[in-house]
Amino acid sequence: MKIRFHLFIALMLLVSFSNKLKAQHQYPSPLILDMVHHNPGEAPYKTAYNDPAVIKEMGYNGKVYFLFESPALAINWESVDKDILPKGSEDRKWVDAKAKQIKKMHAQCKAEDMAIYAMSDLVLFPKRLIKKYEIEDTFGDPNHPLTEKFVRAQINEMFDQFPDLDGLVVRIGETYLHDAPYHQGAIDDKSSPEKTIIPLMKMLKEEICVKRDKQLIFRTWNAFDRNMSPYLEVSDAVQPHKNLIISIKQCEGDFHRGRPFSKLIGQGRHPQIIEVQSAREYEGKGAYPNYIANGVIEGFEEHAKMPEGDINSIREFVETTPDLYAGIWTWSRGGGWEGPYVKSEMWCDLNSWVMAQWAQNTEQSEAFIFKRYATERLNLKGDDVAKFRRLCLLSAEAVIRGRNTVQNDISDVWWTRDQGIGWPAVAKDAVGQKRNLEQKDESIAKWEEIVALSKAITWDNEAAKSHAIGSAEYGLRLYKIYRALVYMSDAEAKGDVKEIKKWITVYDEAWADYNKLPEQYNRVATLYTQDYDRHIAHNANQKVNELRTQK
């Protein structure tokens, strides 16, 4: 009898232990993830969304830590070679300090019962390793035997030294080294399914998904994110696994309005998580009203005329291919470089909160969730809810018309980004250019209505009121500068010196009015600057100064 009892107890303990092991690997479904994209090379953002407790309360169930918060930079490589990062060296001290910082972050996330993911560039190794093993010319090739060996070792050390890590988000489209002084990164043939994407994905799947029962989120960005053929080639070549997810931005290319909805969404064999930028780097970074959650969920107006059968919204993706829907991944803050820097996160918060709440139950309408935001988080009442709704929907209409057109007539979508403004090219044809000019006027009319609505709403407190009105004015005044430049560009293309002079005057007045914002509203974001030209081909103000001398 005692033996049976002890066997029973032993069996119960075994079942309990087994259940605990299973629980450790039961990932939330769908994934509702958030990431703060800190500016590379700068001090990290001070934002509420760094706190796992904050984003959990918003509806998220996991956090993605940014590239320079990745264990890839914090492992000691001792399982490979103790001389790679020798104790006492400056690079070892840096790595150990980074590890301490990351473990503290993970502990905070774990305390909130949030899933923990780290975004990492591949291939990324310590400089000492690359030099010692003389792989300067080959380490970017994932098929090279030493590269494969070191990537596998890297994966093992990352999960061994950071056991709270639930998965990796892998990026191969770019490599940032701005905050990685002792590491070197590269990837060969990043857009080749055969040479790079397929072998790397298979290797990572084996090491992460199969061996460790952890999750691999493989980003398509800048590698196989635009063309159906290579995407399906990868999909067909890599056997699906419950822990393997592919990440896709909701539009083709980067987060630009006017770009097509991603044709890859809803295709292939692998579950997909959709990336959404809440404070878009080409559209003010939260400095002015820019409500994108409605367009992402229900479809932007520029995607309404897509061919029948094509998916044009995240809702349609979920409804037509529910087996492929793995979740939503927002960037609550960040993307791009430098400013504007916001003092209030209201517009970032609106987009992120609505996306997270909708992702929890995709049968909800976006309008229903929006109303909850207005009443629950902004404490708006009565007619003010409808006014706020109108303001936000207008912002989406004003942005697309002010930067491009609803028909995507401007091919150079990069002409204004971050805190800078470049010289806008004319549209691709005369019909498009006529529409381009008309929609710049429409944008200003919409911004004027946005400002009027912001002043008509009874806000819950003075800080909210000041920010709402100030940020609406920010949008109006900035987009007046945009309009002046687009008309000036048109006049230059036509050789109309009189019109050029007219719009230079308008441009100067618009800048003078815009620069008054900080004196009038103390909660506005930092301003765009005339001399900013990072990643901008032709600085607008420089071009205007050249045109001033024309006779």
Side-chain angles (χ1 to χ4, degrees):
M1 196 70 175
K2 286 184 178 180
I3 294 175
R4 285 185 181 177
F5 177 75
H6 289 309
L7 285 173
F8 175 78
I9 294 299
L11 181 61
M12 290 299 98
L13 289 172
L14 182 62
V15 169
S16 175
F17 179 69
S18 175
N19 288 338
K20 284 182 179 179
L21 284 178
K22 288 179 180 177
Q24 289 176 1
H25 304 299
Q26 287 177 347
Y27 302 104
S29 182
L31 293 175
I32 310 173
L33 308 180
D34 184 60
M35 178 182 75
V36 175
H37 187 298
H38 302 291
N39 283 344
E42 294 184 29
Y45 280 120
K46 292 181 179 179
T47 167
Y49 311 119
N50 285 330
D51 186 347
V54 169
I55 62 172
K56 180 179 182 179
E57 187 270 335
M58 294 172 69
Y60 292 95
N61 54 33
K63 182 170 177 59
V64 178
Y65 287 95
F66 188 51
L67 293 164
F68 304 115
E69 301 162 339
S70 171
L73 297 173
I75 58 174
N76 57 40
W77 288 90
E78 288 191 350
S79 69
V80 175
D81 186 336
K82 292 184 178 181
D83 291 332
I84 292 173
L85 292 172
K87 292 180 179 179
S89 63
E90 290 303 311
D91 34 4
R92 177 58 180 265
K93 290 177 184 177
W94 186 90
V95 165
D96 287 345
K98 177 68 69 174
K100 185 177 180 181
Q101 173 198 16
I102 292 173
K103 286 179 179 179
K104 182 179 179 181
M105 290 177 170
H106 287 189
Q108 292 171 340
C109 209
K110 197 73 172 177
E112 297 297 332
D113 196 27
M114 296 279 279
I116 301 170
Y117 298 84
M119 186 161 73
S120 300
D121 281 336
L122 287 183
V123 174
L124 186 72
F125 295 145
K127 291 177 180 178
R128 283 179 184 262
L129 181 150
I130 293 169
K131 184 177 181 180
K132 178 173 182 177
Y133 289 90
E134 299 179 341
I135 54 174
E136 291 89 344
D137 299 326
T138 59
F139 80 93
D141 177 8
N143 299 294
H144 191 278
L146 277 180
T147 301
E148 180 178 346
K149 172 187 173 181
F150 292 142
V151 168
R152 289 182 186 273
Q154 183 180 48
I155 298 299
N156 286 332
E157 289 215 12
M158 288 170 74
F159 285 101
D160 285 347
Q161 294 176 34
F162 299 87
D164 289 339
L165 192 63
D166 288 287
L168 284 187
V169 179
V170 170
R171 183 178 82 158
I172 63 171
E174 296 177 288
T175 303
Y176 289 170
L177 297 171
H178 305 74
D179 297 294
Y182 300 105
H183 290 74
Q184 189 172 339
I187 190 78
D188 296 342
D189 301 307
K190 66 182 181 182
S191 60
S192 170
E194 181 183 1
K195 294 179 181 178
T196 300
I197 303 168
I198 292 171
L200 185 59
M201 191 180 291
K202 285 183 174 179
M203 185 208 316
L204 296 174
K205 173 188 156 187
E206 179 184 339
E207 289 294 336
I208 298 171
C209 305
V210 178
K211 286 185 181 179
R212 293 183 172 272
D213 195 18
K214 300 282 189 174
Q215 286 195 314
L216 166 64
I217 300 176
F218 201 107
R219 295 187 68 199
T220 60
W221 163 243
N222 223 12
F224 61 121
D225 60 334
R226 300 191 190 197
N227 299 319
M228 188 72 77
S229 179
Y231 183 84
L232 293 180
E233 186 180 345
V234 172
S235 176
D236 291 341
V238 180
Q239 189 68 22
H241 189 279
K242 65 184 178 72
N243 292 332
L244 172 59
I245 296 169
I246 290 181
S247 177
I248 304 177
K249 293 184 178 182
Q250 45 85 205
C251 54
E252 292 192 356
D254 219 340
F255 293 109
H256 294 285
R257 291 290 301 278
R259 285 303 197 216
F261 189 84
S262 175
K263 67 174 73 74
L264 307 181
I265 293 176
Q267 304 299 319
R269 304 191 294 168
H270 299 279
Q272 298 170 337
I273 189 169
I274 309 303
E275 297 180 41
V276 180
Q277 196 175 44
S278 297
R280 292 157 75 109
E281 66 207 78
Y282 308 103
E283 300 164 9
K285 296 186 177 179
Y288 53 75
N290 184 23
Y291 182 51
I292 56 90
N294 169 266
V296 172
I297 295 170
E298 309 292 1
F300 284 110
E301 60 177 310
E302 61 265 30
H303 298 152
K305 295 182 180 180
M306 289 177 67
E308 188 175 349
D310 285 4
I311 294 173
N312 69 357
S313 68
I314 304 301
R315 179 179 297 287
E316 196 170 343
F317 163 51
V318 173
E319 291 177 349
T320 56
T321 55
D323 292 345
L324 294 183
Y325 171 64
I328 297 292
W329 169 21
T330 63
W331 305 8
S332 55
R333 288 288 308 276
W337 311 84
E338 300 183 55
Y341 304 96
V342 299
K343 295 179 181 177
S344 168
E345 296 183 314
M346 185 174 84
W347 302 119
C348 321
D349 194 71
L350 170 63
N351 286 320
S352 300
W353 193 89
V354 171
M355 290 305 310
Q357 290 291 315
W358 179 79
Q360 290 181 339
N361 177 8
T362 57
E363 293 182 1
Q364 303 173 95
S365 72
E366 172 274 332
F368 172 76
I369 301 169
F370 180 94
K371 184 176 181 179
R372 283 186 52 218
Y373 184 91
T375 56
E376 294 175 20
R377 287 177 80 83
L378 295 183
N379 297 316
L380 298 182
K381 298 176 177 63
D383 292 343
D384 287 334
V385 175
K387 291 174 186 175
F388 184 62
R389 175 73 171 172
R390 172 71 177 159
L391 183 159
C392 290
L393 294 180
L394 274 172
S395 73
E397 297 173 6
V399 166
I400 179 64
R401 287 162 175 79
R403 290 193 73 259
N404 199 326
T405 73
V406 174
Q407 290 78 9
N408 194 32
D409 292 303
I410 309 302
S411 57
D412 180 17
V413 294
W414 308 86
W415 69 274
T416 174
R417 58 167 301 161
D418 303 313
Q419 65 185 53
I421 306 173
W423 183 249
V426 296
K428 292 167 276 192
D429 54 49
V431 173
Q433 181 62 3
K434 181 175 182 293
R435 187 162 49 220
N436 184 24
L437 297 175
E438 290 172 348
Q439 291 194 8
K440 297 302 166 285
D441 294 336
E442 292 172 14
S443 175
I444 297 305
K446 290 176 185 295
W447 277 114
E448 288 173 343
E449 186 177 352
I450 289 169
V451 170
L453 285 165
S454 72
K455 293 177 178 178
I457 293 171
T458 301
W459 298 97
D460 186 50
N461 55 66
E462 282 301 314
K465 178 181 178 180
S466 175
H467 172 257
I469 297 173
S471 64
E473 286 279 7
Y474 190 115
L476 172 61
R477 299 183 198 188
L478 176 66
Y479 277 68
K480 282 184 176 180
I481 296 171
Y482 288 169
R483 179 178 63 169
L485 287 169
V486 170
Y487 269 95
M488 204 186 308
S489 173
D490 179 72
E492 190 220 11
K494 294 173 179 174
D496 190 334
V497 176
K498 183 178 179 181
E499 279 292 296
I500 291 173
K501 298 295 185 185
K502 168 190 167 181
W503 285 105
I504 287 176
T505 300
V506 174
Y507 170 83
D508 290 340
E509 290 173 352
W511 264 109
D513 196 32
Y514 175 72
N515 283 330
K516 293 175 185 175
L517 279 167
E519 304 167 15
Q520 298 168 338
Y521 302 96
N522 61 11
R523 292 183 63 80
V524 296
T526 59
L527 302 183
Y528 283 60
T529 55
Q530 291 181 319
D531 59 350
Y532 186 84
D533 58 6
R534 187 172 190 171
H535 301 301
I536 291 175
H538 306 289
N539 177 275
N541 199 60
Q542 182 179 337
K543 177 68 175 181
V544 172
N545 287 335
E546 292 170 4
L547 292 174
R548 292 181 195 276
T549 63
Q550 282 196 358
K551 297 180 181 179

